[in-house]
PDB file of all heavy atoms in Angstrom:
ATOM      1  N   HIS I  24       5.729 -10.603  -5.345  1.00  0.00           N
ATOM      2  CA  HIS I  24       4.509 -10.876  -6.054  1.00  0.00           C
ATOM      3  C   HIS I  24       4.173  -9.767  -7.125  1.00  0.00           C
ATOM      4  O   HIS I  24       3.008  -9.684  -7.644  1.00  0.00           O
ATOM      5  CB  HIS I  24       3.334 -11.106  -5.134  1.00  0.00           C
ATOM      6  CG  HIS I  24       3.016  -9.788  -4.304  1.00  0.00           C
ATOM      7  ND1 HIS I  24       3.701  -9.414  -3.276  1.00  0.00           N
ATOM      8  CD2 HIS I  24       1.943  -8.979  -4.448  1.00  0.00           C
ATOM      9  CE1 HIS I  24       3.199  -8.360  -2.743  1.00  0.00           C
ATOM     10  NE2 HIS I  24       2.117  -8.046  -3.440  1.00  0.00           N
ATOM     11  N   HIS I  25       5.176  -8.940  -7.498  1.00  0.00           N
ATOM     12  CA  HIS I  25       4.926  -7.973  -8.513  1.00  0.00           C
ATOM     13  C   HIS I  25       4.795  -8.688  -9.806  1.00  0.00           C
ATOM     14  O   HIS I  25       5.583  -9.542 -10.232  1.00  0.00           O
ATOM     15  CB  HIS I  25       6.146  -7.008  -8.598  1.00  0.00           C
ATOM     16  CG  HIS I  25       5.905  -5.803  -9.440  1.00  0.00           C
ATOM     17  ND1 HIS I  25       5.994  -5.822 -10.794  1.00  0.00           N
ATOM     18  CD2 HIS I  25       5.579  -4.516  -9.067  1.00  0.00           C
ATOM     19  CE1 HIS I  25       5.682  -4.622 -11.340  1.00  0.00           C
ATOM     20  NE2 HIS I  25       5.400  -3.877 -10.276  1.00  0.00           N
ATOM     21  N   PRO I  26       3.734  -8.405 -10.672  1.00  0.00           N
ATOM     22  CA  PRO I  26       3.502  -9.177 -11.925  1.00  0.00           C
ATOM     23  C   PRO I  26       4.636  -9.088 -12.924  1.00  0.00           C
ATOM     24  O   PRO I  26       4.733 -10.108 -13.684  1.00  0.00           O
ATOM     25  CB  PRO I  26       2.213  -8.501 -12.476  1.00  0.00           C
ATOM     26  CG  PRO I  26       2.019  -7.200 -11.693  1.00  0.00           C
ATOM     27  CD  PRO I  26       2.756  -7.312 -10.447  1.00  0.00           C
ATOM     28  N   ASP I  27       5.443  -8.025 -12.986  1.00  0.00           N
ATOM     29  CA  ASP I  27       6.492  -7.982 -13.882  1.00  0.00           C
ATOM     30  C   ASP I  27       7.735  -8.642 -13.387  1.00  0.00           C
ATOM     31  O   ASP I  27       8.730  -8.796 -14.186  1.00  0.00           O
ATOM     32  CB  ASP I  27       6.776  -6.510 -14.374  1.00  0.00           C
ATOM     33  CG  ASP I  27       5.655  -5.845 -15.010  1.00  0.00           C
ATOM     34  OD1 ASP I  27       4.826  -6.640 -15.676  1.00  0.00           O
ATOM     35  OD2 ASP I  27       5.453  -4.619 -14.964  1.00  0.00           O
ATOM     36  N   HIS I  28       7.808  -8.891 -12.099  1.00  0.00           N
ATOM     37  CA  HIS I  28       9.031  -9.495 -11.533  1.00  0.00           C
ATOM     38  C   HIS I  28       8.633 -10.730 -10.619  1.00  0.00           C
ATOM     39  O   HIS I  28       9.102 -10.846  -9.481  1.00  0.00           O
ATOM     40  CB  HIS I  28       9.750  -8.445 -10.629  1.00  0.00           C
ATOM     41  CG  HIS I  28      10.121  -7.235 -11.444  1.00  0.00           C
ATOM     42  ND1 HIS I  28      11.217  -7.167 -12.293  1.00  0.00           N
ATOM     43  CD2 HIS I  28       9.448  -6.103 -11.598  1.00  0.00           C
ATOM     44  CE1 HIS I  28      11.210  -5.967 -12.811  1.00  0.00           C
ATOM     45  NE2 HIS I  28      10.136  -5.256 -12.451  1.00  0.00           N
ATOM     46  N   ARG I  29       7.817 -11.565 -11.142  1.00  0.00           N
ATOM     47  CA  ARG I  29       7.267 -12.750 -10.364  1.00  0.00           C
ATOM     48  C   ARG I  29       8.397 -13.578  -9.766  1.00  0.00           C
ATOM     49  O   ARG I  29       9.295 -13.959 -10.430  1.00  0.00           O
ATOM     50  CB  ARG I  29       6.373 -13.587 -11.291  1.00  0.00           C
ATOM     51  CG  ARG I  29       5.663 -14.713 -10.682  1.00  0.00           C
ATOM     52  CD  ARG I  29       4.523 -14.320  -9.823  1.00  0.00           C
ATOM     53  NE  ARG I  29       3.420 -13.725 -10.559  1.00  0.00           N
ATOM     54  CZ  ARG I  29       2.401 -13.110  -9.944  1.00  0.00           C
ATOM     55  NH1 ARG I  29       2.351 -13.014  -8.655  1.00  0.00           N
ATOM     56  NH2 ARG I  29       1.415 -12.604 -10.623  1.00  0.00           N
ATOM     57  N   ASN I  30       8.240 -13.925  -8.487  1.00  0.00           N
ATOM     58  CA  ASN I  30       9.217 -14.761  -7.755  1.00  0.00           C
ATOM     59  C   ASN I  30      10.609 -14.236  -7.626  1.00  0.00           C
ATOM     60  O   ASN I  30      11.560 -14.932  -7.480  1.00  0.00           O
ATOM     61  CB  ASN I  30       9.184 -16.186  -8.253  1.00  0.00           C
ATOM     62  CG  ASN I  30       7.815 -16.827  -8.165  1.00  0.00           C
ATOM     63  OD1 ASN I  30       7.074 -16.602  -7.172  1.00  0.00           O
ATOM     64  ND2 ASN I  30       7.460 -17.562  -9.072  1.00  0.00           N
ATOM     65  N   GLN I  31      10.787 -12.869  -7.886  1.00  0.00           N
ATOM     66  CA  GLN I  31      12.078 -12.257  -7.759  1.00  0.00           C
ATOM     67  C   GLN I  31      11.927 -11.095  -6.799  1.00  0.00           C
ATOM     68  O   GLN I  31      10.833 -10.508  -6.678  1.00  0.00           O
ATOM     69  CB  GLN I  31      12.502 -11.668  -9.071  1.00  0.00           C
ATOM     70  CG  GLN I  31      12.711 -12.697 -10.214  1.00  0.00           C
ATOM     71  CD  GLN I  31      12.921 -12.014 -11.591  1.00  0.00           C
ATOM     72  OE1 GLN I  31      13.046 -10.805 -11.645  1.00  0.00           O
ATOM     73  NE2 GLN I  31      13.009 -12.745 -12.602  1.00  0.00           N
ATOM     74  N   GLU I  32      13.003 -10.723  -6.147  1.00  0.00           N
ATOM     75  CA  GLU I  32      12.939  -9.561  -5.295  1.00  0.00           C
ATOM     76  C   GLU I  32      12.706  -8.289  -6.084  1.00  0.00           C
ATOM     77  O   GLU I  32      13.289  -8.140  -7.145  1.00  0.00           O
ATOM     78  CB  GLU I  32      14.299  -9.309  -4.604  1.00  0.00           C
ATOM     79  CG  GLU I  32      14.575 -10.193  -3.388  1.00  0.00           C
ATOM     80  CD  GLU I  32      15.887  -9.806  -2.729  1.00  0.00           C
ATOM     81  OE1 GLU I  32      16.460  -8.790  -3.071  1.00  0.00           O
ATOM     82  OE2 GLU I  32      16.217 -10.532  -1.778  1.00  0.00           O
ATOM     83  N   PHE I  33      11.775  -7.513  -5.610  1.00  0.00           N
ATOM     84  CA  PHE I  33      11.527  -6.205  -6.236  1.00  0.00           C
ATOM     85  C   PHE I  33      11.269  -5.156  -5.096  1.00  0.00           C
ATOM     86  O   PHE I  33      10.451  -5.261  -4.257  1.00  0.00           O
ATOM     87  CB  PHE I  33      10.292  -6.248  -7.151  1.00  0.00           C
ATOM     88  CG  PHE I  33      10.015  -5.042  -7.937  1.00  0.00           C
ATOM     89  CD1 PHE I  33      10.843  -4.758  -8.957  1.00  0.00           C
ATOM     90  CD2 PHE I  33       8.976  -4.174  -7.564  1.00  0.00           C
ATOM     91  CE1 PHE I  33      10.594  -3.499  -9.683  1.00  0.00           C
ATOM     92  CE2 PHE I  33       8.726  -3.007  -8.258  1.00  0.00           C
ATOM     93  CZ  PHE I  33       9.563  -2.640  -9.344  1.00  0.00           C
ATOM     94  N   ASN I  34      12.087  -4.103  -5.174  1.00  0.00           N
ATOM     95  CA  ASN I  34      12.026  -3.010  -4.212  1.00  0.00           C
ATOM     96  C   ASN I  34      10.978  -2.014  -4.668  1.00  0.00           C
ATOM     97  O   ASN I  34      11.185  -1.391  -5.741  1.00  0.00           O
ATOM     98  CB  ASN I  34      13.392  -2.395  -3.946  1.00  0.00           C
ATOM     99  CG  ASN I  34      13.421  -1.460  -2.774  1.00  0.00           C
ATOM    100  OD1 ASN I  34      12.410  -1.100  -2.257  1.00  0.00           O
ATOM    101  ND2 ASN I  34      14.626  -1.007  -2.472  1.00  0.00           N
ATOM    102  N   LEU I  35      10.066  -1.706  -3.864  1.00  0.00           N
ATOM    103  CA  LEU I  35       8.980  -0.702  -4.195  1.00  0.00           C
ATOM    104  C   LEU I  35       9.358   0.747  -3.884  1.00  0.00           C
ATOM    105  O   LEU I  35       8.647   1.642  -4.255  1.00  0.00           O
ATOM    106  CB  LEU I  35       7.694  -1.011  -3.397  1.00  0.00           C
ATOM    107  CG  LEU I  35       6.982  -2.364  -3.799  1.00  0.00           C
ATOM    108  CD1 LEU I  35       5.780  -2.552  -2.842  1.00  0.00           C
ATOM    109  CD2 LEU I  35       6.618  -2.447  -5.189  1.00  0.00           C
TER     110      LEU I  35
END
Side-chain angles (χ1 to χ4, degrees):
H24 64 284
H25 191 281
D27 295 334
H28 305 278
R29 183 74 66 193
N30 298 324
Q31 300 172 4
E32 281 188 6
F33 185 74
N34 189 351
L35 296 178

